[in-house]
Amino acid sequence: MPRYNPAEIEPRWQRFWEQNKTFRTPEDTNLEKYYVLDMFPYPSGEGLHVGHPEGYTATDILARFQRMNGKAVLHPMGFDAFGLPAEEAAIKRNVPPREFTEKNIANFKRQLKMLGFSYDWERQVSTTDIDYVRWTQWIFLKLYDTWFDETTGRGKPIAELPIPADIQNQGDQAVIEYQDRHRLAYEGDALVNWCPALGTVLANEEVTDGRSEQGHPVQRIPLRQWMLRITAYADRLEKDIETVDWPEGIKKLQKDWIGRSEGAEVDFFVGDNSAYQTWHEIRRTKGFPSSPESEVLRVYTTRPDTLFGATYMVIAPEHPLVEKITTDDQRLAVEAYREAAASKSDRERQEDKKTKTGVFTGSFAINPITNQPIPIWIADYVLINYGTGAIMAVPAHDERDFAFAKQFQLPILAVVKPTSTDDSVNWSDVEKGLACFSGEGIAHASGDYTGSTTENFKTQIKSDLATQGIGRAAVNYKLRDWLFSRQRFWGEPFPILHELDERGKPTGRKRAVPEDQLPVDLPHLDDFKPHGRLEPPLAKAPESWLFVEIDGVRFRRETNTMPQWAGSCWYYLRYIDPKNDKALIDPKLEKRWMAVDLYVGGAEHAVLHLLYARFWHKVLFDRGVVSTIEPFQRLVNQGMILGEMEFTGYRGADEQWVSSEQVIETEDHSLVLAKDRSPVMPIKLEPDQIEKVGDRFVLKSDPTIRIESKAYKMSKSRGNVVNPDEIVTDYGADSLRLYEMFMGPLEASKPWSMSGVNGVRGFLDRVWRMIIDERAEERVLNESVVSVEPNEDQLRVLHKTIKAVTQDIDTLGFNTAIARLMEFVNYFTKQSQRPKSIMETFVLILSPLAPHIAEELWSALGRTESLAYEPWPKFDPDLTIDQTIEIPVSIQGKVRSKITIARGMSADDIEQQALADIRIVELLDGKTVRKVIVVPDRMVNIVAT
RNA sequence: GGCGGUGUGGCGGAAUGGCAGACGCGCUUGAUUCAAAAUCAAGUGUCCAAUGGACGUGGAGGUUCGACUCCUCUCACCGCUACCA
């Protein structure tokens, strides 16, 4: 075996690791633990993408590095296998989703093994495994059995929910309904995002711009749905994020998504003045009720200090009071508006934010602080599911209200004056109603409050409103409860039964499937396709599945299924105790391994998966299943890998080249010339047709024609997808691993380059030839590799390399670690004597990055065991520091000469030596030295005039 | 519109406020070869009157003895998000 041949070496070592169970998780509890986790993949039919191995290689390097540092490493892998895309693909191919999914998992697993990742495969979990589904359903039942106690901020068993006396008096049914209203998993009528094309409802988080992730339009319809009360945990989700080591950007995204705001709720009476007076009097004595009377509109505002400027009100078209307050002469217009709003998709509603629409209801409410009647409008710019679904409009100080007031000629009253230092807006324009000022400032025309700062005003009025019983301080969140049911087949069935009466009609009562009857498996269905109606496919299940009898009572199973997120919310726990059939996880093992020390995955999961998982984890914490408040201690997002850089030129209809800055993209994604909108054709160009002039690329044959150069996202349609199988076949797994790490910083997005892969393969070839005799028939050492004592230079190179590589791996700086290994090889291939001991140490520090070639060389150097548990080499600090060093001498900050000094030389000595340097003496001739700055061991700077 | 990120040679990228461009790709020249590939050696930011010098980290200012690095403003690209009162 003369030449480096990864095709032979790599499968052989993969087999060795598997047969010797090299990467089985150690049970020795004396070792320090290290839990390093990848975001598990969704096993698509396409197979692994080159983006996947980026994060996986990073975590694998850490896992191997920590094993060599003597830690007990838990490094598992699994599959997020439920979900819409698999089901869609299965329908298209007409195979059952489970069969399709299992085939994909097998393929993914083959590809992952081919890359030599050191996963403990005995711990593999798939969210679709029936053993796994059992515990996902078990957690759902925990959510169902939990209510959130606001006073302690904790989730508690529903049996501990205090039942108010008035409910108790209404009987059992009332108590059941009361409990159901407080569960973390509850059924509610929600305006849902119904996607006709997919035949399912989607979560708010799965809808962007009124479209599904696949781009299908989404409508809003009311439907009875399972919801999870994540909003109860909003406060803790927001606060506890400060305790974890995550990128600041991701923390901010989560905080913004939770969207906590502080403000006040204020009640506006709808009716005539005398009724208002009476109401006001009652409120003064009785205080602010938990829900308003039927003739009262409750609003939420973050700017109670602008109450004097509230000149009208707006309620959402779906607001329950619309019917009641609409006057007869406005009824037709209001009804028409409501219908139009309901049939509009979210996308249409948002299409033109600047143009506001709305209709007057005919009614007036009384501003409780000015006692003036103000008109009530309905408009779709007020959302029913935020705050109270109603606002007080302050057009002088809110951009949206301002636009609306302008549109419908409503009065604008300025009540906040910018401070004298604030020149963001012209006050006289604001006063005249010509401009809107949304900042903070000084109260104006606000009764006794005039002159207060916004901050003081807010505090004062909150307490004044509370005293009068017409308002109170309130906190709101943008976060909504999590819509948790899907009208699809390929997901976990809900372990919930709906009670039926003798005629087979639902009674409205439900019960949980008893724990010992879990899991509820999916039934076999010949036809699992969605049919476009709201009824889920599981409704077509055989009666034997659909109907259950317990203690003589008949039940119908819940036929919705859980969303894909369910399984990924807790998989990191199951890896710790994957075979446990008595419990979700053994508490002793949970304490041993949690939290995850390093979690690596794509930033696209910044809010959804990571927020949902944290929510479940907190519920499990409250219910005593886990001991940690946060699951993922440290999070790192790997960047996106883009396709190879592409050069694109454009040709017009007349076949003439067009410069790229004249080309624009239209709304329907076609390319046209900016000046006359005539179509142009993109032409892919080769690098040799292009040159760079200044900061732009132009056509070599015509430098006036500018060319676009860009790396695009990999996509099937663009045809720039790189397949890991091909890279492994052509270059080897170690080359792929090394290249992905060498491309640049882990967290940056960067373009693929095939010649770059070839480059790192060249490095591995050089590593091989440094140690192995390439011309021999058998695998023998290169004749330069000899058992001699290394000389000092060689030792210095070695120890500097160990130091740099150790630190770089520790800080995930893999690209620079590889650069240091390359420098080592460049040095030692020039050495005619390569001490064997040094070669051995080198192989060890190479091994986390390129494990197959490292094992092979380790064995060639005469070792019989795997190097996976060899101690990580230590460096001698003395050998990493040179005793004589060359430092620059600059004049006026510009380097003019270099001097060689002994390390640690005093500043005075260095200064003398610098000023004595021939070149410096020459340059200083005729000048006066004003100042000399000496940084010992680094540099000298002379200031002279 | 809002938030976040990134701008350094032909390309990917390196640089605790202290020699800008480590390392790799590409390219040039040479050795080897019948030839090519591979390998090895030397070189490779731009410009100029070349053993030297000027300029140079998107742009404009600033702080500093000294700025890719810190501050202010600005431009471009990428990603996420979008009427949240």
Side-chain angles (χ1 to χ4, degrees):
Chain A
M1 184 181 52
R3 298 183 63 168
Y4 169 49
N5 182 8
E8 190 275 327
I9 292 172
E10 291 175 350
R12 185 151 48 74
W13 283 102
Q14 285 157 17
R15 240 174 287 128
F16 175 93
W17 294 328
E18 185 156 357
Q19 282 164 6
N20 290 276
K21 301 194 186 303
T22 307
F23 303 119
R24 180 181 259 178
T25 312
E27 277 163 27
D28 182 354
T29 51
N30 293 315
L31 300 175
E32 195 186 329
K33 69 99 182 177
Y34 189 76
Y35 186 178
V36 52
L37 180 67
D38 294 298
M39 286 186 191
F40 64 169
Y42 163 72
S44 74
E46 315 295 324
L48 221 54
H49 178 271
V50 286
H52 288 115
E54 191 192 13
Y56 301 163
T57 303
T59 52
D60 193 59
I61 291 166
L62 260 297
R64 289 174 180 271
F65 176 67
Q66 297 293 13
R67 277 187 207 105
M68 295 173 81
N69 278 295
K71 293 196 183 161
V73 171
L74 174 57
H75 186 39
M77 181 45 90
F79 301 95
D80 186 15
F82 273 128
L84 256 176
E87 192 174 349
E88 290 289 294
I91 290 168
K92 212 179 280 170
R93 280 158 234 235
N94 204 26
V95 287
R98 183 169 292 281
E99 200 178 294
F100 178 72
T101 302
E102 275 165 10
K103 216 177 76 210
N104 291 347
I105 289 176
N107 187 41
F108 262 68
K109 198 167 166 181
R110 173 191 66 77
Q111 290 184 302
L112 290 167
K113 287 195 165 185
M114 155 189 103
L115 292 167
F117 296 133
S118 62
Y119 295 122
D120 179 354
W121 283 110
E122 289 172 39
R123 287 168 187 260
Q124 175 192 327
V125 300
S126 299
T127 53
T128 50
D129 290 344
I130 193 63
D131 293 346
Y132 187 90
V133 167
R134 171 182 173 186
W135 295 106
T136 306
Q137 290 172 336
W138 185 88
I139 296 171
F140 177 83
L141 291 182
K142 271 278 174 267
L143 289 156
Y144 184 68
D145 183 58
T146 302
W147 66 286
F148 190 79
D149 180 356
E150 297 283 351
T151 58
T152 57
R154 286 287 184 101
K156 290 182 178 166
I158 199 78
E160 294 173 19
L161 174 69
I163 309 292
D166 58 327
I167 301 284
Q168 199 91 57
N169 295 338
Q170 291 168 38
D172 286 354
Q173 186 61 31
V175 171
I176 288 169
E177 284 171 12
Y178 184 81
Q179 285 177 326
D180 282 354
R181 280 203 302 278
H182 286 81
R183 295 174 191 275
L184 293 186
Y186 64 98
E187 277 188 297
D189 275 314
L191 262 191
V192 298
N193 304 297
W194 167 252
C195 177
L198 295 173
T200 187
V201 159
L202 302 171
N204 290 328
E205 293 86 330
E206 290 168 318
V207 181
T208 320
D209 275 349
R211 286 172 188 273
S212 77
E213 279 162 11
Q214 299 82 8
H216 304 300
V218 171
Q219 298 169 352
R220 288 145 47 87
I221 58 166
L223 192 67
R224 195 152 182 79
Q225 293 290 315
W226 282 97
M227 311 284 288
L228 297 186
R229 205 179 303 281
I230 189 171
T231 49
Y233 283 79
D235 198 41
R236 276 163 66 188
L237 287 168
E238 198 207 20
K239 287 209 176 87
D240 291 346
I241 196 141
E242 294 306 338
T243 67
V244 293
D245 177 14
W246 289 16
E248 283 306 316
I250 301 289
K251 287 191 190 180
K252 190 169 186 312
L253 268 169
Q254 287 223 347
K255 278 192 270 186
D256 289 350
W257 191 268
I258 294 164
R260 180 191 160 94
S261 72
E262 285 181 19
E265 284 177 356
V266 185
D267 281 353
F268 284 65
F269 186 81
V270 185
D272 65 30
N273 200 43
S274 66
Y276 167 68
Q277 296 297 346
T278 320
W279 172 77
H280 211 306
E281 205 48 53
I282 295 168
R283 279 299 183 88
R284 239 191 294 272
T285 51
K286 291 215 166 156
F288 192 80
S290 64
S291 51
E293 304 88 340
S294 63
E295 66 282 1
V296 170
L297 262 182
R298 177 164 291 180
V299 305
Y300 172 73
T301 177
T302 53
R303 291 295 298 270
D305 62 298
T306 60
L307 204 41
F308 284 89
T311 53
Y312 65 100
M313 299 186 81
V314 184
I315 59 178
E318 302 85 0
H319 197 284
L321 244 57
V322 173
E323 288 278 324
K324 191 180 158 89
I325 64 176
T326 301
T327 57
D328 288 340
D329 49 341
Q330 288 299 105
R331 195 165 299 279
L332 269 177
V334 168
E335 287 306 321
Y337 187 78
R338 290 184 86 183
E339 264 171 50
S343 68
K344 267 196 222 172
S345 71
D346 264 12
R347 187 184 180 76
E348 287 166 333
R349 270 175 91 144
Q350 288 169 17
E351 215 127 65
D352 191 359
K353 274 192 290 199
K354 298 236 160 62
T355 322
K356 297 276 186 284
T357 59
V359 177
F360 179 43
T361 61
S363 287
F364 291 81
I366 297 175
N367 183 326
I369 201 141
T370 62
N371 298 327
Q372 295 302 307
I374 55 175
I376 305 168
W377 287 63
I378 65 168
D380 63 5
Y381 84 91
V382 170
L383 309 173
I384 185 63
N385 48 9
Y386 182 76
T388 59
I391 62 157
M392 62 175 211
V394 186
H397 305 289
D398 181 285
E399 300 284 353
R400 296 152 302 186
D401 297 345
F402 184 77
F404 190 84
K406 282 276 167 208
Q407 182 100 15
F408 297 103
Q409 281 116 49
L410 291 155
I412 299 170
L413 208 60
V415 294
V416 186
K417 193 174 174 178
T419 55
S420 52
T421 53
D422 185 349
D423 56 0
S424 64
V425 72
N426 183 324
W427 168 239
S428 78
D429 282 354
V430 178
E431 246 189 322
K432 287 180 212 144
L434 298 172
C436 171
F437 170 60
S438 56
E440 306 206 333
I442 308 294
H444 173 81
S446 301
D448 295 344
Y449 301 96
T450 303
S452 323
T453 63
T454 299
E455 201 190 334
N456 291 341
F457 194 163
K458 278 186 185 173
T459 320
Q460 188 59 47
I461 197 159
K462 275 184 210 168
S463 90
D464 293 351
L465 289 170
T467 316
Q468 295 190 55
I470 49 177
R472 67 170 170 199
V475 169
N476 245 300
Y477 298 94
K478 282 207 282 192
L479 185 70
R480 310 287 150 80
D481 274 346
W482 176 9
L483 199 152
F484 195 66
S485 37
R486 297 293 181 273
Q487 292 67 47
R488 295 297 295 234
F489 171 76
W490 193 228
E492 299 88 345
F494 282 80
I496 292 289
L497 303 170
H498 295 276
E499 191 183 283
L500 303 174
D501 63 18
E502 299 84 49
R503 291 164 305 161
K505 291 265 187 272
T507 63
R509 270 197 286 267
K510 336 180 232 297
R511 66 166 294 170
V513 171
E515 225 176 89
D516 60 7
Q517 287 177 32
L518 294 180
V520 179
D521 200 355
L522 284 165
H524 174 80
L525 287 191
D526 291 323
D527 174 20
F528 49 84
K529 296 176 193 64
H531 39 53
R533 293 190 305 272
L534 291 175
E535 193 184 46
L538 282 184
K540 294 183 288 188
E543 300 221 334
S544 57
W545 184 88
L546 202 53
F547 297 100
V548 188
E549 194 171 311
I550 300 177
D551 301 333
V553 183
R554 257 167 73 81
F555 295 91
R556 184 175 190 266
R557 283 193 196 278
E558 170 66 49
T559 53
N560 282 296
T561 52
M562 298 187 202
Q564 193 184 350
W565 308 106
S568 60
C569 269
W570 71 282
Y571 71 113
Y572 58 92
L573 290 172
R574 193 60 180 173
Y575 284 141
I576 291 170
D577 196 6
K579 307 252 154 53
N580 195 333
D581 60 359
K582 301 282 183 297
L584 182 154
I585 185 171
D586 177 338
K588 274 208 299 292
L589 292 173
E590 189 273 334
K591 280 200 183 63
R592 160 80 173 142
W593 289 103
M594 284 303 287
V596 174
D597 295 280
L598 176 65
Y599 193 23
V600 176
E604 66 272 22
H605 296 111
V607 277
L608 309 186
H609 159 62
L610 288 170
L611 196 63
Y612 294 155
R614 292 179 61 222
F615 164 48
W616 279 33
H617 195 83
K618 287 182 187 305
V619 177
L620 293 175
F621 174 81
D622 286 353
R623 296 302 307 270
V625 181
V626 299
S627 63
T628 40
I629 59 164
E630 284 288 332
F632 313 119
Q633 191 28 237
R634 181 172 181 211
L635 174 78
V636 171
N637 293 121
Q638 86 266 22
M640 200 191 317
I641 294 186
L642 306 168
E644 291 235 13
M645 176 90 90
E646 293 175 33
F647 296 102
T648 315
Y650 297 95
R651 268 191 179 143
D654 53 0
E655 290 293 299
Q656 294 299 303
W657 288 106
V658 178
S659 201
S660 66
E661 74 271 17
Q662 297 171 18
V663 177
I664 55 167
E665 196 178 332
T666 60
E667 275 146 35
D668 55 341
H669 303 292
S670 58
L671 297 161
V672 297
L673 213 51
K675 58 172 195 259
D676 57 6
R677 296 187 80 83
S678 64
V680 295
M681 278 294 295
I683 310 285
K684 205 174 160 185
L685 296 164
E686 294 305 315
D688 59 0
Q689 296 173 268
I690 284 147
E691 63 183 346
K692 196 168 188 183
V693 176
D695 59 351
R696 55 186 57 178
F697 286 93
V698 297
L699 210 55
K700 253 187 199 167
S701 55
D702 179 359
T704 62
I705 300 298
R706 195 166 165 185
I707 299 304
E708 215 161 72
S709 78
K710 202 178 157 185
Y712 295 89
K713 229 186 229 186
M714 286 191 191
S715 71
K716 253 205 310 202
S717 57
R718 189 165 274 278
N720 59 352
V721 176
V722 177
N723 179 345
D725 283 284
E726 282 170 27
I727 306 296
V728 171
T729 308
D730 295 348
Y731 300 94
D734 282 338
S735 291
L736 175 61
R737 293 171 57 115
L738 218 48
Y739 175 65
E740 296 223 4
M741 295 299 100
F742 190 57
M743 288 170 88
L746 181 62
E747 298 179 71
S749 59
K750 46 232 159 207
W752 186 265
S753 151
M754 232 20 127
S755 54
V757 185
N758 196 44
V760 293
R761 169 60 194 263
F763 164 66
L764 291 178
D765 283 325
R766 282 195 295 282
V767 168
W768 183 261
R769 286 194 304 267
M770 177 175 75
I771 295 175
I772 301 293
D773 182 355
E774 191 176 42
R775 287 157 307 180
E777 292 293 318
E778 297 294 311
R779 190 190 71 186
V780 292
L781 294 181
N782 188 304
E783 58 185 13
S784 304
V785 177
V786 282
S787 299
V788 291
E789 280 298 306
N791 64 36
E792 181 162 338
D793 259 13
Q794 292 174 333
L795 277 178
R796 286 190 179 280
V797 170
L798 175 71
H799 284 261
K800 283 180 189 172
T801 307
I802 298 171
K803 182 182 178 186
V805 171
T806 306
Q807 288 175 351
D808 284 347
I809 291 180
D810 225 26
T811 56
L812 313 184
F814 305 115
N815 54 334
T816 48
I818 294 165
R820 302 311 293 260
L821 292 168
M822 286 173 168
E823 285 178 282
F824 175 98
V825 172
N826 290 345
Y827 174 85
F828 272 96
T829 44
K830 289 191 175 76
Q831 299 285 306
S832 52
Q833 287 210 325
R834 302 167 197 160
K836 199 173 162 202
S837 61
I838 287 190
M839 293 299 109
E840 287 175 348
T841 308
F842 169 78
V843 166
L844 292 178
I845 60 176
L846 171 69
S847 69
L849 298 124
H852 307 90
I853 191 175
E855 290 275 20
E856 184 67 17
L857 293 172
W858 189 246
S859 129
L861 286 160
R863 305 305 192 108
T864 49
E865 297 280 304
S866 163
L867 49 62
Y869 292 92
E870 284 295 317
W872 185 256
K874 300 264 178 295
F875 59 89
D876 176 352
D878 288 344
L879 287 168
T880 63
I881 296 164
D882 293 322
Q883 285 318 304
T884 58
I885 42 181
E886 197 185 49
I887 61 167
V889 181
S890 20
I891 298 174
Q892 252 74 293
K894 289 190 197 304
V895 178
R896 296 300 171 180
S897 184
K898 284 171 189 178
I899 56 172
T900 304
I901 60 158
R903 179 174 292 279
M905 195 187 256
S906 77
D908 284 352
D909 290 351
I910 294 170
E911 179 174 336
Q912 273 185 24
Q913 195 178 328
L915 290 170
D917 182 76
I918 301 169
R919 186 129 177 82
I920 296 298
V921 170
E922 264 174 40
L923 288 162
L924 289 178
D925 188 36
K927 289 182 175 167
T928 316
V929 175
R930 303 281 172 199
K931 195 174 176 185
V932 180
I933 294 110
V934 179
V935 183
D937 295 345
R938 299 233 56 137
M939 48 71 66
V940 179
N941 189 20
I942 299 163
V943 186
T945 49

